[in-house]
Amino acid sequence: MKRLFKSYYPCFAALFYFISGSGQSYVPVYAGIADQCSETRIIQNLTEFENLGIKSKGTAAQANTLTWLKNKYLSYGYTLSQITTDSFSYGGSTSVNLIVTKTGTVYPNTFVIIDGHYDTIYGPGTNDNGSGVAVILEIAKLLQNVSTEYSIKFINFSGEEDGLLGSQHYVTTVVNGTVPKMNIRLVFNIDEVGGVAGANNNTIMCERDTDNNPSTNNAASNTMTAQLIACVNLYSSLTPSLSYAYSSDYVPFENNGEIITGFFEGNESTHPHSSSDRLINMDPAYVHQVARAATGAALHFAKATQATLDIATNEKDYGVSFFPVPAHNRLTIHRGDLGGVSYRFTLTDLSGKIVLDTQIQHPGTEETITLVNLASGVYSAAVIAGEASVTKKIVIE
Ligand SMILES: [Zn+2]
Protein backbone atom coordinates (compact mmCIF):
# COMPACT_ATOMS: atom_id res chain seq x y z
CA MET A 1 0.00 0.00 0.00
CA LYS A 2 1.90 3.02 -1.21
CA ARG A 3 2.16 6.09 -3.34
CA LEU A 4 -1.21 7.57 -2.54
CA PHE A 5 0.24 10.99 -1.87
CA LYS A 6 3.40 10.87 -3.87
CA SER A 7 5.52 13.96 -4.28
CA TYR A 8 9.24 13.89 -4.67
CA TYR A 9 11.65 15.91 -2.65
CA PRO A 10 13.68 18.28 -4.79
CA CYS A 11 16.79 16.75 -6.32
CA PHE A 12 19.16 18.96 -4.38
CA ALA A 13 18.04 17.26 -1.18
CA ALA A 14 19.15 13.87 -2.44
CA LEU A 15 22.43 15.33 -3.63
CA PHE A 16 23.08 17.02 -0.32
CA TYR A 17 22.47 13.92 1.75
CA PHE A 18 24.47 11.79 -0.61
CA ILE A 19 27.50 14.03 -0.32
CA SER A 20 27.15 14.45 3.40
CA GLY A 21 26.66 10.68 3.74
CA SER A 22 28.25 8.43 6.28
CA GLY A 23 31.81 8.04 5.11
CA GLN A 24 31.30 4.29 5.18
CA SER A 25 33.96 2.25 3.54
CA TYR A 26 33.64 -0.80 1.37
CA VAL A 27 33.90 -4.03 3.36
CA PRO A 28 35.10 -6.83 1.05
CA VAL A 29 33.49 -9.52 3.20
CA TYR A 30 30.09 -7.79 2.94
CA ALA A 31 30.51 -7.60 -0.83
CA GLY A 32 31.42 -11.29 -0.88
CA ILE A 33 28.17 -12.13 0.89
CA ALA A 34 26.12 -9.74 -1.30
CA ASP A 35 27.67 -11.51 -4.31
CA GLN A 36 25.93 -14.68 -3.18
CA CYS A 37 22.48 -13.17 -3.81
CA SER A 38 20.96 -15.33 -6.52
CA GLU A 39 18.64 -14.07 -9.23
CA THR A 40 17.66 -17.67 -9.96
CA ARG A 41 16.57 -18.21 -6.36
CA ILE A 42 14.73 -14.86 -6.34
CA ILE A 43 12.81 -15.79 -9.50
CA GLN A 44 11.98 -19.19 -7.99
CA ASN A 45 10.67 -17.58 -4.79
CA LEU A 46 8.69 -14.95 -6.74
CA THR A 47 7.14 -17.69 -8.89
CA GLU A 48 6.16 -19.76 -5.86
CA PHE A 49 4.76 -16.65 -4.16
CA GLU A 50 2.72 -15.77 -7.27
CA ASN A 51 1.33 -19.31 -7.51
CA LEU A 52 0.02 -19.09 -3.94
CA GLY A 53 -2.70 -16.71 -5.19
CA ILE A 54 -4.43 -13.66 -3.72
CA LYS A 55 -3.31 -13.45 -0.09
CA SER A 56 -6.09 -11.34 1.36
CA LYS A 57 -7.58 -11.56 4.85
CA GLY A 58 -9.05 -14.89 5.84
CA THR A 59 -8.07 -16.75 2.66
CA ALA A 60 -6.45 -20.17 2.35
CA ALA A 61 -3.87 -18.44 0.12
CA GLN A 62 -2.77 -16.25 3.02
CA ALA A 63 -2.55 -19.22 5.40
CA ASN A 64 -0.64 -21.24 2.80
CA THR A 65 1.80 -18.37 2.29
CA LEU A 66 2.47 -18.27 6.03
CA THR A 67 3.33 -21.99 5.94
CA TRP A 68 5.43 -21.48 2.80
CA LEU A 69 7.40 -18.72 4.53
CA LYS A 70 7.99 -20.79 7.65
CA ASN A 71 9.26 -23.69 5.54
CA LYS A 72 11.60 -21.35 3.64
CA TYR A 73 13.26 -20.20 6.87
CA LEU A 74 13.57 -23.80 8.07
CA SER A 75 15.13 -24.80 4.75
CA TYR A 76 17.67 -21.97 5.17
CA GLY A 77 18.83 -23.44 8.47
CA TYR A 78 16.73 -21.54 11.00
CA THR A 79 15.23 -23.62 13.79
CA LEU A 80 11.69 -23.68 15.15
CA SER A 81 12.99 -22.09 18.36
CA GLN A 82 13.90 -18.99 16.31
CA ILE A 83 10.44 -18.66 14.75
CA THR A 84 7.48 -17.04 16.50
CA THR A 85 4.11 -15.75 15.38
CA ASP A 86 1.95 -12.80 16.39
CA SER A 87 -1.74 -13.27 15.61
CA PHE A 88 -4.42 -10.62 15.40
CA SER A 89 -8.08 -10.63 14.44
CA TYR A 90 -10.20 -8.18 12.50
CA GLY A 91 -13.30 -8.37 10.30
CA GLY A 92 -14.11 -11.87 11.49
CA SER A 93 -10.80 -13.57 10.69
CA THR A 94 -7.35 -14.01 12.13
CA SER A 95 -4.09 -12.98 10.44
CA VAL A 96 -0.55 -13.82 11.50
CA ASN A 97 2.79 -12.02 11.52
CA LEU A 98 5.83 -14.31 11.23
CA ILE A 99 9.00 -13.38 13.15
CA VAL A 100 12.42 -15.03 12.81
CA THR A 101 15.01 -13.99 15.39
CA LYS A 102 18.77 -14.31 15.03
CA THR A 103 20.60 -13.48 18.26
CA GLY A 104 23.50 -11.05 18.20
CA THR A 105 26.85 -11.81 19.82
CA VAL A 106 27.43 -8.48 21.54
CA TYR A 107 24.02 -6.80 21.85
CA PRO A 108 21.56 -9.72 22.04
CA ASN A 109 18.76 -7.50 23.35
CA THR A 110 19.04 -4.79 20.70
CA PHE A 111 17.31 -5.54 17.41
CA VAL A 112 17.66 -4.63 13.77
CA ILE A 113 14.23 -5.36 12.30
CA ILE A 114 14.12 -6.20 8.58
CA ASP A 115 10.49 -6.35 7.54
CA GLY A 116 7.97 -6.39 4.73
CA HIS A 117 4.37 -7.52 4.33
CA TYR A 118 3.28 -10.77 2.69
CA ASP A 119 -0.47 -10.14 2.48
CA THR A 120 -1.77 -8.93 -0.90
CA ILE A 121 -4.99 -7.44 -2.22
CA TYR A 122 -6.86 -7.83 -5.56
CA GLY A 123 -4.04 -9.93 -7.02
CA PRO A 124 -1.15 -12.29 -6.27
CA GLY A 125 1.01 -9.27 -5.36
CA THR A 126 4.22 -10.58 -6.87
CA ASN A 127 5.63 -7.06 -6.77
CA ASP A 128 3.57 -5.73 -3.82
CA ASN A 129 5.01 -7.32 -1.81
CA GLY A 130 6.37 -10.63 -3.14
CA SER A 131 9.45 -8.63 -4.14
CA GLY A 132 10.07 -7.51 -0.55
CA VAL A 133 9.44 -11.08 0.65
CA ALA A 134 11.98 -12.44 -1.85
CA VAL A 135 14.58 -9.86 -0.78
CA ILE A 136 14.05 -10.59 2.94
CA LEU A 137 14.34 -14.34 2.29
CA GLU A 138 17.58 -13.74 0.41
CA ILE A 139 19.06 -11.74 3.31
CA ALA A 140 17.89 -14.36 5.82
CA LYS A 141 19.42 -17.18 3.81
CA LEU A 142 22.78 -15.46 3.37
CA LEU A 143 23.05 -14.25 6.98
CA GLN A 144 21.88 -17.48 8.64
CA ASN A 145 25.43 -18.55 9.43
CA VAL A 146 26.96 -15.08 9.75
CA SER A 147 27.43 -13.79 13.27
CA THR A 148 26.32 -10.22 13.91
CA GLU A 149 26.84 -8.03 16.95
CA TYR A 150 23.20 -6.92 17.02
CA SER A 151 20.24 -9.29 16.97
CA ILE A 152 18.15 -9.36 13.82
CA LYS A 153 14.42 -9.95 13.49
CA PHE A 154 13.13 -10.82 10.03
CA ILE A 155 9.42 -9.99 10.14
CA ASN A 156 6.84 -10.88 7.51
CA PHE A 157 3.80 -8.78 8.38
CA SER A 158 0.19 -9.47 7.44
CA GLY A 159 -2.75 -7.03 7.36
CA GLU A 160 -0.69 -4.30 5.69
CA GLU A 161 -3.07 -3.81 2.80
CA ASP A 162 -5.98 -3.47 5.22
CA GLY A 163 -4.32 -0.55 7.03
CA LEU A 164 -0.93 -1.54 8.49
CA LEU A 165 -2.81 -3.74 10.95
CA GLY A 166 -0.14 -6.40 11.48
CA SER A 167 2.72 -3.99 12.12
CA GLN A 168 0.50 -1.86 14.39
CA HIS A 169 -0.48 -4.97 16.37
CA TYR A 170 3.16 -6.01 16.68
CA VAL A 171 4.24 -2.58 17.94
CA THR A 172 1.38 -2.36 20.42
CA THR A 173 1.53 -5.85 21.85
CA VAL A 174 5.11 -7.06 21.34
CA VAL A 175 7.41 -4.02 21.06
CA ASN A 176 5.53 -2.20 23.82
CA GLY A 177 4.40 -5.39 25.54
CA THR A 178 7.38 -5.63 27.88
CA VAL A 179 8.91 -3.37 30.55
CA PRO A 180 11.17 -1.91 29.35
CA LYS A 181 9.88 -2.05 25.78
CA MET A 182 11.86 -3.85 23.08
CA ASN A 183 15.12 -2.06 22.28
CA ILE A 184 15.17 -1.44 18.51
CA ARG A 185 18.27 -0.17 16.73
CA LEU A 186 16.57 0.23 13.35
CA VAL A 187 13.51 -0.84 11.35
CA PHE A 188 14.38 -1.47 7.69
CA ASN A 189 11.15 -1.88 5.68
CA ILE A 190 11.15 -3.33 2.17
CA ASP A 191 7.93 -2.85 0.19
CA GLU A 192 7.39 -3.06 -3.60
CA VAL A 193 10.86 -3.32 -5.10
CA GLY A 194 9.92 -5.30 -8.23
CA GLY A 195 10.64 -2.77 -10.98
CA VAL A 196 8.81 -2.37 -14.28
CA ALA A 197 9.29 -4.87 -17.14
CA GLY A 198 10.94 -3.24 -20.15
CA ALA A 199 11.96 -0.09 -18.28
CA ASN A 200 15.46 0.96 -17.25
CA ASN A 201 15.17 0.18 -13.55
CA ASN A 202 18.30 1.66 -12.02
CA THR A 203 17.05 3.71 -9.07
CA ILE A 204 15.98 2.70 -5.58
CA MET A 205 14.08 5.04 -3.26
CA CYS A 206 15.66 5.23 0.19
CA GLU A 207 13.00 6.41 2.58
CA ARG A 208 13.50 8.41 5.78
CA ASP A 209 11.21 9.61 8.50
CA THR A 210 10.10 13.20 7.91
CA ASP A 211 6.86 13.45 9.85
CA ASN A 212 6.28 15.21 13.16
CA ASN A 213 4.56 12.37 14.97
CA PRO A 214 7.03 12.49 16.73
CA SER A 215 9.83 14.57 15.21
CA THR A 216 12.43 13.49 17.79
CA ASN A 217 13.41 10.39 15.78
CA ASN A 218 13.78 12.13 12.40
CA ALA A 219 17.47 13.04 12.64
CA ALA A 220 18.47 9.46 13.50
CA SER A 221 16.33 8.16 10.62
CA ASN A 222 18.09 10.62 8.34
CA THR A 223 21.49 9.34 9.51
CA MET A 224 20.53 5.69 9.01
CA THR A 225 19.05 6.44 5.58
CA ALA A 226 22.32 8.12 4.59
CA GLN A 227 24.05 4.88 5.60
CA LEU A 228 21.51 2.91 3.56
CA ILE A 229 22.29 5.14 0.57
CA ALA A 230 26.00 4.44 1.07
CA CYS A 231 25.28 0.69 1.11
CA VAL A 232 23.35 0.94 -2.19
CA ASN A 233 26.39 2.61 -3.75
CA LEU A 234 28.86 0.13 -2.24
CA TYR A 235 27.08 -3.18 -2.80
CA SER A 236 24.81 -2.84 -5.86
CA SER A 237 24.71 -1.25 -9.31
CA LEU A 238 21.67 0.87 -8.37
CA THR A 239 21.48 4.62 -7.90
CA PRO A 240 19.98 5.60 -4.54
CA SER A 241 17.45 8.42 -4.35
CA LEU A 242 16.40 10.01 -1.08
CA SER A 243 12.67 9.83 -0.46
CA TYR A 244 10.38 9.80 2.55
CA ALA A 245 8.48 7.14 4.45
CA TYR A 246 4.71 6.74 4.31
CA SER A 247 1.94 4.16 3.91
CA SER A 248 3.88 1.04 4.80
CA ASP A 249 4.75 -1.04 7.85
CA TYR A 250 7.40 1.31 9.21
CA VAL A 251 4.71 3.88 10.07
CA PRO A 252 3.52 2.27 13.35
CA PHE A 253 7.19 2.01 14.37
CA GLU A 254 8.01 5.62 13.57
CA ASN A 255 4.89 6.72 15.43
CA ASN A 256 6.26 4.73 18.39
CA GLY A 257 9.49 6.77 18.29
CA GLU A 258 11.59 4.08 16.60
CA ILE A 259 14.25 4.80 13.98
CA ILE A 260 13.20 3.67 10.51
CA THR A 261 14.39 3.49 6.94
CA GLY A 262 13.05 1.78 3.83
CA PHE A 263 13.31 0.71 0.22
CA PHE A 264 10.71 1.35 -2.52
CA GLU A 265 11.10 0.95 -6.29
CA GLY A 266 12.32 3.97 -8.31
CA ASN A 267 10.09 3.31 -11.31
CA GLU A 268 6.67 2.88 -9.77
CA SER A 269 4.71 0.02 -11.31
CA THR A 270 1.04 0.53 -12.19
CA HIS A 271 0.22 -3.14 -11.51
CA PRO A 272 0.08 -3.42 -7.68
CA HIS A 273 -3.39 -4.00 -6.21
CA SER A 274 -4.56 -5.65 -9.43
CA SER A 275 -4.67 -9.11 -10.98
CA SER A 276 -1.74 -8.14 -13.22
CA ASP A 277 0.70 -7.68 -10.33
CA ARG A 278 2.76 -10.57 -11.69
CA LEU A 279 6.36 -11.52 -12.39
CA ILE A 280 5.86 -10.98 -16.14
CA ASN A 281 5.35 -7.27 -15.45
CA MET A 282 8.44 -6.99 -13.23
CA ASP A 283 12.22 -6.85 -13.61
CA PRO A 284 13.82 -9.67 -11.58
CA ALA A 285 17.33 -8.40 -12.39
CA TYR A 286 16.34 -5.23 -10.52
CA VAL A 287 15.06 -7.25 -7.54
CA HIS A 288 18.43 -9.00 -7.54
CA GLN A 289 20.27 -5.66 -7.28
CA VAL A 290 17.91 -4.55 -4.51
CA ALA A 291 18.72 -7.80 -2.67
CA ARG A 292 22.45 -7.10 -3.00
CA ALA A 293 22.04 -3.59 -1.59
CA ALA A 294 19.75 -4.82 1.20
CA THR A 295 22.14 -7.62 2.14
CA GLY A 296 25.06 -5.19 2.38
CA ALA A 297 22.88 -2.86 4.46
CA ALA A 298 21.78 -5.68 6.78
CA LEU A 299 25.42 -6.66 7.40
CA HIS A 300 26.28 -3.03 8.05
CA PHE A 301 23.36 -2.24 10.36
CA ALA A 302 23.64 -5.47 12.39
CA LYS A 303 27.45 -5.24 12.35
CA ALA A 304 28.61 -8.55 11.01
CA THR A 305 31.35 -9.73 13.35
CA GLN A 306 33.80 -9.88 10.49
CA ALA A 307 33.99 -6.11 10.60
CA THR A 308 35.49 -6.33 14.07
CA LEU A 309 38.54 -8.12 12.72
CA ASP A 310 40.31 -4.92 11.83
CA ILE A 311 39.31 -2.95 14.91
CA ALA A 312 39.84 -5.70 17.45
CA THR A 313 43.09 -4.16 18.58
CA ASN A 314 41.20 -1.03 19.68
CA GLU A 315 38.82 -2.90 21.96
CA LYS A 316 39.37 -3.58 25.62
CA ASP A 317 40.83 -7.07 25.48
CA TYR A 318 40.76 -8.12 29.17
CA GLY A 319 44.17 -9.72 28.62
CA VAL A 320 42.53 -12.44 26.51
CA SER A 321 45.00 -14.16 24.19
CA PHE A 322 45.14 -17.13 21.86
CA PHE A 323 48.14 -19.36 21.14
CA PRO A 324 50.10 -20.85 19.53
CA VAL A 325 50.54 -18.48 16.57
CA PRO A 326 49.83 -19.84 14.08
CA ALA A 327 47.61 -22.56 15.51
CA HIS A 328 47.64 -26.07 14.09
CA ASN A 329 45.15 -28.63 15.35
CA ARG A 330 44.77 -27.08 18.78
CA LEU A 331 44.10 -23.58 20.06
CA THR A 332 44.58 -22.48 23.65
CA ILE A 333 42.43 -19.68 25.03
CA HIS A 334 43.92 -17.64 27.86
CA ARG A 335 40.98 -15.91 29.53
CA GLY A 336 42.99 -13.11 31.14
CA ASP A 337 40.79 -11.27 33.64
CA LEU A 338 37.55 -11.92 31.77
CA GLY A 339 35.04 -12.82 34.50
CA GLY A 340 32.03 -15.12 34.58
CA VAL A 341 31.37 -18.80 35.23
CA SER A 342 31.26 -19.61 31.51
CA TYR A 343 32.02 -18.11 28.14
CA ARG A 344 31.16 -18.70 24.51
CA PHE A 345 33.94 -19.18 22.01
CA THR A 346 33.39 -18.71 18.27
CA LEU A 347 35.60 -18.92 15.22
CA THR A 348 34.44 -17.07 12.11
CA ASP A 349 36.04 -17.44 8.70
CA LEU A 350 36.70 -14.63 6.21
CA SER A 351 33.35 -15.12 4.50
CA GLY A 352 31.65 -14.37 7.82
CA LYS A 353 30.60 -17.97 8.44
CA ILE A 354 30.79 -19.29 12.00
CA VAL A 355 32.84 -22.48 11.75
CA LEU A 356 33.10 -23.26 15.45
CA ASP A 357 30.73 -22.24 18.24
CA THR A 358 31.10 -23.69 21.71
CA GLN A 359 30.12 -22.86 25.27
CA ILE A 360 32.78 -23.43 27.92
CA GLN A 361 31.49 -23.96 31.46
CA HIS A 362 33.64 -23.22 34.53
CA PRO A 363 36.70 -22.36 32.44
CA GLY A 364 40.18 -22.41 33.86
CA THR A 365 42.72 -19.70 33.14
CA GLU A 366 43.57 -21.62 30.00
CA GLU A 367 41.36 -23.90 27.94
CA THR A 368 42.49 -25.83 24.88
CA ILE A 369 40.16 -26.41 21.94
CA THR A 370 40.67 -29.09 19.31
CA LEU A 371 40.41 -27.76 15.75
CA VAL A 372 38.94 -30.27 13.33
CA ASN A 373 38.56 -29.92 9.56
CA LEU A 374 39.38 -26.23 9.41
CA ALA A 375 41.05 -24.87 6.29
CA SER A 376 44.28 -22.94 6.68
CA GLY A 377 43.73 -19.22 6.81
CA VAL A 378 42.79 -16.19 8.87
CA TYR A 379 39.89 -16.45 11.30
CA SER A 380 38.17 -14.17 13.76
CA ALA A 381 38.25 -15.71 17.26
CA ALA A 382 35.76 -14.35 19.77
CA VAL A 383 35.30 -14.94 23.48
CA ILE A 384 31.95 -13.73 24.78
CA ALA A 385 31.08 -13.62 28.49
CA GLY A 386 27.87 -11.78 29.28
CA GLU A 387 28.18 -8.21 28.02
CA ALA A 388 31.94 -8.51 27.48
CA SER A 389 33.41 -9.78 24.24
CA VAL A 390 36.90 -9.89 22.80
CA THR A 391 37.55 -10.55 19.12
CA LYS A 392 40.98 -11.18 17.68
CA LYS A 393 42.42 -12.26 14.40
CA ILE A 394 44.13 -15.64 14.47
CA VAL A 395 45.86 -17.76 11.85
CA ILE A 396 45.33 -21.49 11.48
CA GLU A 397 47.76 -23.59 9.46
ZN1 LIG B 1 3.00 -3.01 -0.15
Side-chain angles (χ1 to χ4, degrees):
M1 183 168 68
K2 290 284 286 190
R3 299 299 121 167
L4 298 171
F5 315 102
K6 178 163 181 155
S7 69
Y8 285 106
Y9 272 68
C11 290
F12 70 82
L15 187 64
F16 172 78
Y17 283 104
F18 174 66
I19 290 170
S20 69
S22 59
Q24 277 158 254
S25 55
Y26 178 78
V27 180
V29 171
Y30 294 1
I33 296 170
D35 276 344
Q36 295 168 44
C37 286
S38 159
E39 188 175 331
T40 304
R41 192 164 51 228
I42 287 169
I43 290 172
Q44 179 66 33
N45 282 338
L46 289 171
T47 303
E48 291 174 14
F49 186 90
E50 184 162 301
N51 290 340
L52 284 159
I54 306 172
K55 302 147 193 81
S56 53
K57 165 175 80 73
T59 58
Q62 190 177 93
N64 292 340
T65 305
L66 178 68
T67 302
W68 175 80
L69 280 167
K70 193 184 282 187
N71 287 333
K72 283 287 169 187
Y73 288 109
L74 292 172
S75 77
Y76 294 161
Y78 292 89
T79 59
L80 283 174
S81 65
Q82 292 177 279
I83 301 176
T84 57
T85 55
D86 168 41
S87 300
F88 55 101
S89 295
Y90 64 101
S93 62
T94 296
S95 291
V96 181
N97 299 322
L98 185 71
I99 302 105
V100 178
T101 304
K102 187 179 181 311
T103 302
T105 54
V106 181
Y107 310 103
N109 296 317
T110 304
F111 297 93
V112 172
I113 290 177
I114 301 172
D115 76 284
H117 70 92
Y118 72 92
D119 63 306
T120 74
I121 192 163
Y122 309 131
T126 314
N127 186 355
D128 183 13
N129 184 31
S131 60
V133 167
V135 169
I136 292 167
L137 286 174
E138 205 63 12
I139 302 168
K141 176 175 173 59
L142 296 178
L143 267 63
Q144 189 274 332
N145 210 9
V146 173
S147 69
T148 56
E149 294 189 8
Y150 292 92
S151 290
I152 300 176
K153 284 185 183 290
F154 300 102
I155 307 185
N156 299 107
F157 285 119
S158 189
E160 196 267 359
E161 300 290 7
D162 295 326
L164 314 180
L165 299 180
S167 48
Q168 183 61 63
H169 186 268
Y170 186 79
V171 168
T172 303
T173 65
V174 182
V175 174
N176 294 345
T178 54
V179 180
K181 76 163 189 67
M182 184 190 294
N183 188 14
I184 298 175
R185 171 168 161 81
L186 178 70
V187 175
F188 177 19
N189 183 72
I190 304 170
D191 192 357
E192 200 182 316
V193 291
V196 176
N200 181 17
N201 301 291
N202 54 12
T203 302
I204 182 77
M205 296 299 176
C206 301
E207 304 167 310
R208 62 175 168 148
D209 183 353
T210 57
D211 75 18
N212 292 323
N213 181 30
S215 60
T216 47
N217 51 355
N218 291 9
S221 170
N222 190 55
T223 299
M224 289 300 205
T225 304
Q227 293 181 18
L228 180 66
I229 284 171
C231 288
V232 172
N233 284 316
L234 291 170
Y235 304 112
S236 78
S237 63
L238 301 176
T239 301
S241 178
L242 183 67
S243 185
Y244 64 98
Y246 70 97
S247 288
S248 191
D249 285 317
Y250 38 31
V251 170
F253 288 93
E254 57 176 292
N255 292 346
N256 199 51
E258 313 300 343
I259 300 162
I260 64 97
T261 196
F263 269 167
F264 186 81
E265 60 192 2
N267 288 327
E268 186 180 358
S269 172
T270 57
H271 296 285
H273 302 183
S274 80
S275 59
S276 62
D277 186 359
R278 295 178 177 276
L279 182 56
I280 194 170
N281 293 314
M282 293 164 53
D283 179 356
Y286 176 72
V287 183
H288 178 221
Q289 289 300 324
V290 174
R292 290 185 54 113
T295 298
L299 291 162
H300 170 73
F301 289 131
K303 290 203 193 228
T305 302
Q306 181 60 32
T308 64
L309 271 178
D310 297 326
I311 60 164
T313 48
N314 297 326
E315 295 178 336
K316 177 170 167 56
D317 78 354
Y318 299 92
V320 170
S321 59
F322 304 103
F323 59 89
V325 184
H328 295 280
N329 46 11
R330 284 194 180 81
L331 181 73
T332 297
I333 304 161
H334 182 91
R335 72 182 298 188
D337 51 11
L338 192 70
V341 295
S342 71
Y343 60 74
R344 179 181 171 196
F345 174 76
T346 64
L347 267 185
T348 306
D349 71 14
L350 280 177
S351 76
K353 177 183 283 192
I354 299 175
V355 294
L356 197 159
D357 189 346
T358 184
Q359 197 75 29
I360 298 180
Q361 302 292 343
H362 307 291
T365 304
E366 290 178 0
E367 293 289 336
T368 296
I369 306 258
T370 304
L371 306 173
V372 182
N373 293 333
L374 293 180
S376 296
V378 177
Y379 291 81
S380 170
V383 176
I384 303 135
E387 295 291 299
S389 84
V390 178
T391 305
K392 294 194 170 190
K393 204 181 286 194
I394 66 162
V395 176
I396 296 174
E397 277 187 0

